[in-house]
Amino acid sequence: MRAVLALIVATLLGLGLAETLIVYPFSSQDALAGVALADRLAQAFEGQAEVIGPETAPSLVPPLVVDGGFINPALFLGQVGFANSTGAALLRDAVGADWAVTGELVFEDEAVVLTLYVKGDSSATLTFAAPLDDPSRLLRPATFALAARLGVVPEPASEFDLAGPFGDHVRIVGLIGAGLVDEALAQLEGLKNQGTELLPETAALYQNLTAMLAGEAVADAALAAVASITIEQFDEAQAIGYFEAFREASALPVADVWIGALAASVNDKARAVEALDSASAAYSYGRIARASYRQTNGLEGSSEDIAAVVAGGLDSGVAGLLGLAVVADQGNDRALEKQALQLLARAAPFFPYPFERLSFIAFDEDDGAAAAEVLVVAVELDPASDLYWTNLGWAYYLVGLLPESEDASIRATELDPNQFIARYNLGLVRVVTGRLELALDDYAIAMRFDREVDDEAIVDLENALDLYPDESGIHFALANLYQAEGRRAEAADQYERYLERDDGERPALAATAASRVEALRAPPPPIEIIGGVDVSLGFEGVEASPYHPGEDVFLNFEVTTLGDILPQRIQVTVALVEADGTVVDTSEADIEVPTGAIGFVIDDASVALPEGLSPGTYRLDVTVAADAGRASTETILLAVDGRPELLRQLLGRNIVMQALDAGRSLYDERDLSRPGVLADRLVGELQGAANAAEEALPVVEGGRFEGLSGGELFLQSGVGEIEDFLHFLLAQGTSDITFTFVDAYAQWALDGGPQE
């Protein structure tokens, strides 16, 4: 079979030896199966090409240096990711490989189907099917079909069983590919501790990763490079060193772009310039990466790089043209950005992003026709995008195609019933076409999902008064939104304009408008707090009186305006007052109220009790205020006693620290009666994790724990160190967070164990 294949390849294709091949993990409902197929497919070509497999490929696409940080071009692929022809092209072009393979594995009723997207000098989409219960049978036909494209003779691809050691291997590959190198190492350690025999390729992964963590030379330079940027103990200098080793060992030019980005992150301009100069000479993406760096740092030469990529046209590749669009956007050069996007749309005709971005530019330029033109393509490419249908509906409205606008907006709401912008669009189309009752229903639905009335929806109705002067219903719809937004006088004006033009055909709406005018012209009803004010420790509602100094006390109460609609914004002030009237502390908050609410519960207003607060009974004056001078104050008494307690402060801040093994919280409100248990429990957690810390943590290099190994650090930490850590945590203003205690403690110790 292999001899016949070699003869066919040599005779019919006449292709030379493929130099570089990158294989991305295949998208799949069964993630293990997708990774397994990609892994075995990559291994089949070892020795025939320089192969980058699924453990390395996902992290290899390099970012562009831009103002304020970095942009990775893979982000523009959206949720679909690399499992398409555009993804394969972007992967190949950004890495500088000769060939890239991505894929999608789909389990259907009676078969499993693998679709490969192959990009090299030419593009191909290859589809294979196998029995539903044996995806491994996809390997042989996929391998030989890809070999015919590359012009090589692969190793025979064998079927696999995910239940055995290969399943363990695939899990490790999947974790590394997802950037979870530390988790992969933990699983590898677990397998070794259990005495599990590793496959040779799994053992090689373990050896390479442990050597990388130790800063030693690594056989798999590509793996070491990408792993060095995804580990928790990320070190830029070490990562640059591994990418330099990768550059020496590989024919791929991508390492230089990574070195440039890493050097830029530590402001090493000389090294960044040197690396990006090398990358720019090798491939188009390197050229645009240098242009982006030069533009961001105000260096000369960016215009020449940009001109070279433009001149390359479609030959600049998907990654180069996408990078060109990013650079143009960063430089606020809309003409260049449109040119780049138009080229990108030709290079990747099934890629929605350039059409999406062109539509936004067209909207910014008030060119509804241009927006509609590109959005028609966008909805064809991604018919499940409620955003594209919403925007197409708006574009059609701008050019006067009202039936088409309505249809597009309906489609958006069918795709996502919560798509309130499409609902606003739908209401607008229906009101200007004389269907006020339907329009009001649409606006009501929109405001149900939109916490605050969309300002643009109001502007659209205001503009519609001029565009469609014969439609009196616009006044009613506009008044309705004004009223919901709390603009009482303007709402009354518009209801009166509706009544002035009323033709008597809608008596119910006329009666509603008249009653609303009367209510809106009258003084607004007072805003009140009803049902009293409840106090708790933190917003989880833990009743813990008397309260202690240093705690965050939260309040829960309901506000109303006696049956009328609440204003959209309410100001809440909480004052902590001594018995003699001295104000100890105040806090203020602006609260957004859902549109149309007539009652609203506020549960996130709080006041912090100072650390040095003396015991006693204090007043809490809770004031709610709104427009038109409306205000109401409720006063309650607050008992304060005792000393500051760390457990109570953690609960008050909603800081949840979890155990390493089970992810359970290490404390809760049941421990309030025994506060001393907190430190003892945390010390026990450190002691229980000492062995793992000895393996995972480096020696502490500075500060109070200098020279201690991970295990020594955990075993020698007592109540005093725990309390110092907790005081430091609270002093940083930490709140509303959940994390693993031992991880945070280890990071604090490695940072020197700083004081407050």
Side-chain angles (χ1 to χ4, degrees):
M1 175 66 73
R2 296 181 68 204
V4 172
L5 176 64
L7 180 61
I8 293 173
V9 168
T11 304
L12 299 182
L13 299 179
L15 298 176
L17 181 67
E19 295 180 357
T20 54
L21 167 67
I22 183 165
V23 181
Y24 200 90
F26 301 152
S27 169
S28 174
Q29 301 149 290
D30 182 343
L32 284 183
V35 173
L37 285 166
D39 179 75
R40 279 293 178 255
L41 188 66
Q43 285 191 20
F45 292 90
E46 293 286 353
Q48 306 295 316
E50 178 189 343
V51 179
I52 301 294
E55 71 277 13
T56 303
S59 299
L60 202 53
V61 173
L64 299 172
V65 179
V66 297
D67 287 335
F70 304 89
I71 289 180
N72 193 305
L75 294 174
F76 296 94
L77 292 173
Q79 294 183 344
V80 177
F82 286 89
N84 49 66
S85 57
T86 302
L90 178 62
L91 182 64
R92 172 186 182 260
D93 297 342
V95 173
D98 294 304
W99 293 89
V101 179
T102 67
E104 181 178 23
L105 189 64
V106 176
F107 290 82
E108 298 181 347
D109 291 339
E110 298 181 357
V112 57
V113 178
L114 173 65
T115 302
L116 294 184
Y117 303 96
V118 183
K119 178 61 179 177
D121 293 334
S122 60
S123 300
T125 299
L126 310 172
T127 303
F128 312 93
L132 192 61
D133 60 351
D134 192 4
S136 69
R137 290 176 61 180
L138 294 163
L139 263 177
R140 289 183 66 83
T143 302
F144 288 131
L146 181 59
R149 291 277 167 182
L150 272 62
V152 298
V153 180
E155 291 296 321
S158 59
E159 297 176 2
F160 54 77
D161 180 6
L162 289 173
F166 182 62
D168 295 328
H169 174 75
V170 170
R171 289 182 186 88
I172 301 302
V173 169
L175 287 171
I176 299 170
L180 302 174
V181 174
D182 296 277
E183 287 82 347
L185 274 166
Q187 288 209 15
L188 284 165
E189 291 286 357
L191 292 171
K192 289 180 66 67
N193 292 338
Q194 295 166 15
T196 303
E197 184 176 353
L198 302 180
L199 294 176
E201 55 266 41
T202 315
L205 289 175
Y206 179 70
Q207 292 167 1
N208 283 315
L209 292 178
T210 52
M212 181 274 301
L213 280 179
E216 300 169 356
V218 179
D220 189 337
L223 175 64
V226 300
S228 71
I229 59 174
T230 54
I231 56 173
E232 290 184 10
Q233 302 299 323
F234 168 58
D235 178 85
E236 287 88 349
Q238 185 182 62
I240 289 173
Y242 279 119
F243 271 102
E244 287 176 338
F246 176 35
R247 177 179 59 191
E248 298 304 316
S250 173
L252 294 168
V254 67
D256 276 318
V257 183
W258 267 112
I259 294 168
L262 290 165
S265 72
V266 293
N267 204 31
D268 186 347
K269 293 185 177 180
R271 180 174 277 182
V273 167
E274 178 185 11
L276 291 172
D277 282 347
S278 177
S280 69
Y283 70 141
S284 292
Y285 187 72
R287 194 73 181 253
I288 203 63
R290 183 173 72 171
S292 189
Y293 177 80
R294 283 174 164 178
Q295 176 177 276
T296 300
N297 288 275
L299 302 177
E300 295 181 355
S302 61
S303 59
E304 288 83 351
D305 285 336
I306 290 169
V309 176
V310 171
L314 300 183
D315 290 337
S316 292
V318 170
L321 293 173
L322 181 54
L324 178 63
V326 170
V327 169
D329 181 29
Q330 290 283 307
N332 292 314
D333 188 338
R334 291 293 166 258
L336 176 62
E337 187 180 6
K338 286 196 284 187
Q339 183 181 9
L341 292 167
Q342 288 159 357
L343 285 168
L344 181 59
R346 292 171 56 197
F350 302 107
F351 187 22
Y353 172 73
F355 301 99
E356 173 189 320
R357 179 60 187 153
L358 284 167
S359 73
F360 285 129
I361 294 173
F363 284 135
D364 288 342
E365 295 175 346
D366 295 324
D367 191 344
E373 182 180 351
V374 291
L375 284 167
V376 166
V377 181
V379 297
E380 238 184 277
L381 296 176
D382 189 1
S385 171
D386 61 281
L387 172 65
Y388 293 168
W389 284 107
T390 296
N391 291 349
L392 180 59
W394 177 241
Y396 278 147
Y397 175 83
L398 291 177
V399 296
L401 297 174
L402 300 184
E404 291 83 354
S405 175
E406 183 170 359
D407 290 343
S409 298
I410 289 172
R411 180 63 180 140
T413 61
E414 289 172 345
L415 290 166
D416 181 5
N418 299 333
Q419 176 51 272
F420 59 84
I421 296 298
R423 280 288 175 188
Y424 280 125
N425 290 348
L426 200 53
L428 179 63
V429 170
R430 286 172 170 171
V431 75
V432 301
T433 52
R435 293 169 291 165
L436 177 58
E437 291 88 349
L438 281 177
L440 292 174
D441 289 342
D442 291 318
Y443 282 119
I445 295 171
M447 289 187 288
R448 190 184 309 152
F449 294 114
D450 185 12
R451 189 176 178 88
E452 185 175 349
V453 176
D454 187 82
D455 290 337
E456 292 302 317
I458 291 177
V459 171
D460 296 338
L461 282 169
E462 290 171 340
N463 292 335
L465 290 173
D466 295 325
L467 292 171
Y468 301 93
D470 295 333
E471 290 299 334
S472 61
I474 299 172
H475 294 290
F476 194 109
L478 181 56
N480 186 50
L481 295 193
Y482 279 156
Q483 183 179 4
E485 202 174 51
R487 296 161 65 173
R488 298 171 61 85
E490 293 166 283
D493 290 343
Q494 289 300 319
Y495 281 127
E496 288 174 343
R497 290 286 295 121
Y498 175 76
L499 290 170
E500 290 170 5
R501 302 180 59 186
D502 179 36
D503 55 10
E505 294 184 2
R506 296 186 176 110
L509 288 176
T512 299
S515 65
R516 289 185 179 180
V517 169
E518 182 179 357
L520 291 166
R521 293 299 189 199
I527 187 168
E528 294 184 359
I529 297 174
I530 60 171
V533 176
D534 294 326
V535 180
S536 66
L537 181 65
F539 61 75
E540 292 297 322
V542 179
E543 200 288 319
S545 182
Y547 295 92
H548 292 212
E551 298 175 357
D552 286 13
V553 176
F554 278 71
L555 306 125
N556 183 297
F557 55 91
E558 184 176 1
V559 293
T560 185
T561 48
L562 301 177
D564 199 358
I565 295 174
L566 280 165
Q568 285 205 298
R569 291 180 179 84
I570 295 175
Q571 293 76 47
V572 177
T573 304
V574 183
L576 179 67
V577 186
E578 293 181 346
D580 63 2
T582 301
V583 177
V584 177
D585 196 13
T586 61
S587 67
E588 296 181 350
D590 287 328
I591 306 296
E592 289 186 5
V593 178
T595 302
I598 59 173
F600 184 64
V601 174
I602 295 174
D603 59 4
D604 55 357
S606 67
V607 64
L609 305 183
E611 286 274 354
L613 192 64
S614 300
T617 300
Y618 294 81
R619 284 191 356 240
L620 281 180
D621 292 340
V622 183
T623 301
V624 293
D627 55 2
R630 291 180 287 174
S632 177
T633 299
E634 184 85 7
T635 296
I636 60 171
L637 298 180
L638 184 76
V640 176
D641 198 4
R643 296 177 300 174
E645 290 183 7
L646 289 167
L647 173 59
R648 294 176 65 98
Q649 292 179 24
L650 294 172
L651 292 172
R653 299 270 197 93
N654 192 34
I655 298 172
V656 179
M657 294 191 290
Q658 295 179 323
L660 178 64
D661 55 354
R664 55 181 172 78
S665 177
L666 290 165
Y667 51 85
D668 56 34
E669 64 270 16
R670 293 173 295 181
D671 298 316
L672 285 173
S673 61
R674 42 179 186 165
V677 75
L678 173 65
D680 292 339
R681 195 173 290 162
L682 297 183
V683 168
E685 183 72 6
L686 290 178
Q687 292 176 346
N691 290 336
E694 185 68 22
E695 295 290 334
L697 296 179
V699 173
V700 183
E701 296 182 353
R704 63 200 293 182
F705 304 108
E706 183 174 2
L708 296 183
S709 67
E712 292 170 339
L713 165 67
F714 278 22
L715 290 173
Q716 295 181 29
S717 293
V719 171
E721 287 75 20
I722 293 293
E723 290 183 346
D724 285 347
F725 164 71
L726 296 178
H727 281 300
F728 174 79
L729 185 71
L730 293 165
Q732 308 313 301
T734 307
S735 64
D736 304 329
I737 189 172
T738 299
F739 56 85
T740 302
F741 162 65
V742 296
D743 290 344
Y745 184 85
Q747 187 60 60
W748 173 74
L750 291 170
D751 290 340
Q755 300 292 325
E756 297 178 40

